Amino acid sequence: MRAYSRSQRGDQPDLRAQAEQLFALANQARAAAGAGPLQWDPDLADAALEHCRRMAIEGPIAHRYGGEPDVTTRAAQAGAHFSLIEENVAVGPTAADIHDGWMHSPDHRRNLLNPNVDRVGIALVAAHGVLYAVADYSRAVRVLSPVQVEAVVSRLLRVSGISILGSHAQARAYCGGANRVGGTPQPGFLMRWQGPDLDHLPQQLVNNLGSGGFHAAEVGSCAPRNAEGSFTAYRVAVLLYY
């Protein structure tokens, strides 16, 4: 049994070429459908390879076998960070046949052309005279420290003309679960939220910023709570002051 993922550089040029062909065909199909190109993710490729090896051992292909973690956990354990993940599996004689099969299967086609994913890792295993293939697609999430999260949110607030206070202590405490904020002056609006998206502020916060009554903010970040599965998420608090 020979295995190859794009995260490896072994001596299997035939499998490497087949993996590169699957990657290229996916992006060609996405371009034709108006979806953005996928970027290669070596962590997803490693996760895909582990499952691909298991498929070759088991014989009948499946997304999960007994005692095996699901794709979300496998990808997270391999080091990928994401807010969305999906997987295609197949067995066939060549990469071109595998791609054609995915494009003619409604569910697999939907995964491959999903405009909400932007990363992919592909693995191939040659066994039993055929190729086993796994493609893991995800929407990547930036890996940021709490301080970096605070800086990103602060930049978004400044666009609304809000001054950012130098202290983070009260916002961090509120983010972590404190129900009251001490000191004076008291904030006129408090909000904490959790999610993978740091490109936009929550609508409720935007609405309050638009009221024109607030002029300063304190931003704090803390560890996420009860994050669903292995999806990457950030937890943030913002205190607005008049």
Side-chain angles (χ1 to χ4, degrees):
M1 181 173 70
R2 296 174 298 153
Y4 177 75
S5 78
R6 291 281 318 274
S7 64
Q8 298 174 314
R9 288 294 180 267
D11 58 351
Q12 305 295 343
D14 53 341
L15 292 181
R16 180 163 60 248
Q18 299 266 18
E20 290 170 349
Q21 185 179 6
L22 270 179
F23 183 47
L25 288 170
N27 275 332
Q28 289 172 16
R30 288 175 65 86
L38 297 171
Q39 295 183 35
W40 188 259
D41 188 312
D43 296 325
L44 288 179
D46 287 343
L49 180 60
E50 289 302 311
H51 184 63
C52 202
R53 285 171 169 162
R54 182 69 182 269
M55 287 202 313
I57 292 171
E58 297 285 345
I61 63 173
H63 289 283
R64 188 178 185 183
Y65 299 99
E68 183 185 35
D70 63 13
V71 61
T72 301
T73 303
R74 294 196 303 265
Q77 289 176 343
H81 294 267
F82 48 87
S83 60
L84 168 68
I85 190 163
E86 52 196 25
E87 181 177 72
N88 280 357
V89 299
V91 60
T94 67
D97 289 299
I98 289 168
H99 175 77
D100 186 65
W102 283 343
M103 291 298 290
H104 285 86
S105 165
D107 289 342
H108 292 90
R109 179 186 177 92
R110 188 179 305 112
N111 287 345
L112 194 155
L113 299 181
N114 188 347
N116 294 315
V117 299
D118 55 17
R119 299 289 189 277
V120 68
I122 298 171
L124 290 170
V125 169
H128 316 300
V130 293
L131 293 177
Y132 292 83
V134 176
D136 287 341
Y137 311 91
S138 79
R139 182 172 185 83
V141 171
R142 290 174 288 178
V143 183
L144 301 175
S145 68
V147 171
Q148 289 173 319
V149 171
E150 291 167 355
V152 169
V153 175
S154 294
R155 284 196 294 270
L156 293 174
L157 289 166
R158 287 192 184 97
V159 172
S160 299
I162 300 294
S163 298
I164 306 302
L165 301 179
S167 172
H168 300 276
Q170 302 229 63
R172 288 172 180 172
Y174 184 66
C175 179
N179 292 320
R180 300 184 63 182
V181 174
T184 54
Q186 282 285 297
F189 175 79
L190 304 87
M191 184 175 184
R192 53 192 168 202
W193 72 94
Q194 182 169 308
D197 183 10
L198 290 178
D199 295 327
H200 306 91
L201 297 173
Q203 190 59 47
Q204 184 181 1
L205 179 56
V206 171
N207 292 343
N208 277 271
L209 291 171
S211 70
F214 297 105
H215 300 93
E218 183 177 331
V219 181
S221 181
C222 58
R225 291 187 170 189
N226 304 316
E228 181 182 351
S230 301
F231 293 93
T232 301
Y234 299 110
R235 188 171 177 83
V236 188
V238 169
L239 314 181
L240 296 181
Y241 295 87
Y242 295 111

